[in-house]
Amino acid sequence: MQVPPLKVYNSLSRQKETFEPLNPPFVGIYVCGPTVYNDPHIGNARPAVFFDTLRRYLTYLGYKVRFVRNITDVGHLLGDTNEGEDRISKQARLEQIEPMEIVNHYTQTYHQLIDTLNVIRPSIEPTATGHIIEQIELAQKIISEGYGYVSNGSVYLDVMKYKADYPYGELSGRIVEELQEGTRELDGQEEKKHPADFALWKKASPEHLMRWNSPWGEGFPGWHLECTIMSTKYLGETFDIHGGGMDLMFPHHECEIAQAKASNGGKSPVKYWLHNNMITVDGQKMSKSSGNFVTIGELFSGKHDRLTQPFSPMTVRYFILGAHYRSTLDFSNDGLLGAQKAYKRLMNAKNILGKLAYPASAGELNAKADEEIQGFCTNMVIAMHDDVNTARVIAQLQNIARKINTFYQQPETLAQISADTFALMRDMFLNFTENILGLKEEKNTNVEPFVVGLLELYAEAKAKKEYETVDKIRSYFKSNNLIIKDLKNGVDWAYDEN
RNA sequence: GGUCGCGUGGCCGAGUGGCUAGGCAGAGCUCUGCAAAAGCUCGUACAGCAGUUCGAAUCUGCUCGCGACCUCCA
């Protein structure tokens, strides 16, 4: 199978580049994880699902992937107030509990929801609070390199100084001079040398709950420091892939680059920057701050005004992967309904595939059919190699599903393709569906209705004295460790105590 | 205001100089006790205008509409 090399769109160069790991066969991936202060919404699920799929594919290709995704459990100022209050401590005060309780609660929620989406847990999942010392050290390093300064107990990165030596704005295309308009009234603006300067360490106000000792007094780490330290600590000074949402490009990722370069002599921390696009609602970006979000939990329960029914985790995963990661994806009940049917069609085909057996002797080969199926398989790889185009992969899987259905209903057509093609089709279909796209079968685990239905048939058969059927049904129960109880007033079942 | 992106058939959503995207919904047919599933066939879509070209949805220019970032956000 001749296919082009894997290419990914690098936000830094604004073009597709051939993926070549720094230290093959090892690949390091860092993805910005959640800030654990409330329930994640479907927009948060997108990077989780997409970068999971990328990780799965790289693993499939034979790379040894170390996947790091952080938990932000401190920092990040609130956007809707100007109090400069820590987001997590604000939520904690509202609920009258400890900040760490908030962190633990929402971390667990995140894990549980992401698990059901069949997202593999990271190799390393570091927390910001677990790396306070490293963050202080990094701030000190940046000061000693001459790119940071202390002001009123806080530490800032001197953007103008940095900009004189390195290209600030290389990732986002931002020009410092144009940033000055519309700058929000942030706490501590007057402490800065320049409005574009950003905090590496913030002095804690007296009422601030989350605080640590530092050379500059009690405070907490700045907004971007944690990702710089946790990515390079576990993946190296320069690593392969850094992922996250497009909305993090500026300022977050731009600042990460600046912090890294300011502390390491100007080495670029990341080879490939990958950014997923946003999920929209009626054309508008879904976000916590605008309030137009649907949480993952609401999606699973169906309890939301925009939803007519619950949607299963795999439906949601299919929905996300049905669009290319760099396109916006419009959230809608109709879109989800379509994804649900399409996903089930794929799973039905998968089950049928398990029942297909290639005939002992091949028939007359239909070269056209043979080539068509091989083409579907090749196209899946081509699509993945063209900037991880999962939407195109899914189209090919649906094409293969149609062939599988035909083979099932017209077995004679199966002998018209070669045994090799059949094996290729089976392996590729299963690998891409389950291992790469991570679409697993959602089996119906509620057996109660089947038991009740079978009991009804049992009672009917017994009334008609059809004892052969009666015995048959009883044996079904027996083989599943259940017994049927004939009572005076009907039938019932119980666990077999033997 | 600055930077960037988008506008594809009823809906979602790929593609991007000539070669089938795919799914959902809809119509017809096959199969069929009923129903479903499945298979086959069908719509001749690319915001508008002008240009480049043998040929453009795909390139260029303009117009209109929408959005993202510039502030916490995936």
Side-chain angles (χ1 to χ4, degrees), chain A residues 396-436:
Chain A
Q396 301 307 316
L397 287 173
Q398 291 287 2
N399 281 332
I400 294 172
R402 188 170 59 251
K403 291 296 165 191
I404 290 170
N405 286 325
T406 302
F407 290 144
Y408 188 52
Q409 291 185 0
Q410 299 168 258
E412 69 278 7
T413 61
L414 184 52
Q416 292 173 1
I417 63 168
S418 71
D420 285 350
T421 299
F422 178 70
L424 175 75
M425 178 189 82
R426 191 186 53 215
D427 292 350
M428 296 282 281
F429 185 87
L430 293 176
N431 258 323
F432 272 78
T433 305
E434 298 177 311
N435 300 142
I436 296 168

Side-chain angles (χ1 to χ4, degrees), chain A residues 38-40 104-115:
Chain A
N38 61 12
D39 291 320
N104 278 342
H105 173 79
Y106 288 111
T107 300
Q108 284 164 18
T109 301
Y110 183 78
H111 280 155
Q112 192 214 325
L113 293 170
I114 291 297
D115 284 350

Side-chain angles (χ1 to χ4, degrees), chain A residues 76-78 81-87 89-90 93 208:
Chain A
H76 293 258
L77 296 183
L78 287 163
T81 73
N82 292 327
E83 292 160 25
E85 190 172 23
D86 187 293
R87 200 186 251 182
S89 51
K90 160 137 187 178
R93 214 162 306 155
H208 203 91

Side-chain angles (χ1 to χ4, degrees), chain A residues 204-219:
Chain A
S205 55
E207 65 275 18
H208 203 91
L209 293 175
M210 296 189 105
R211 56 205 299 145
W212 290 266
N213 278 317
S214 80
W216 317 287
E218 286 199 336

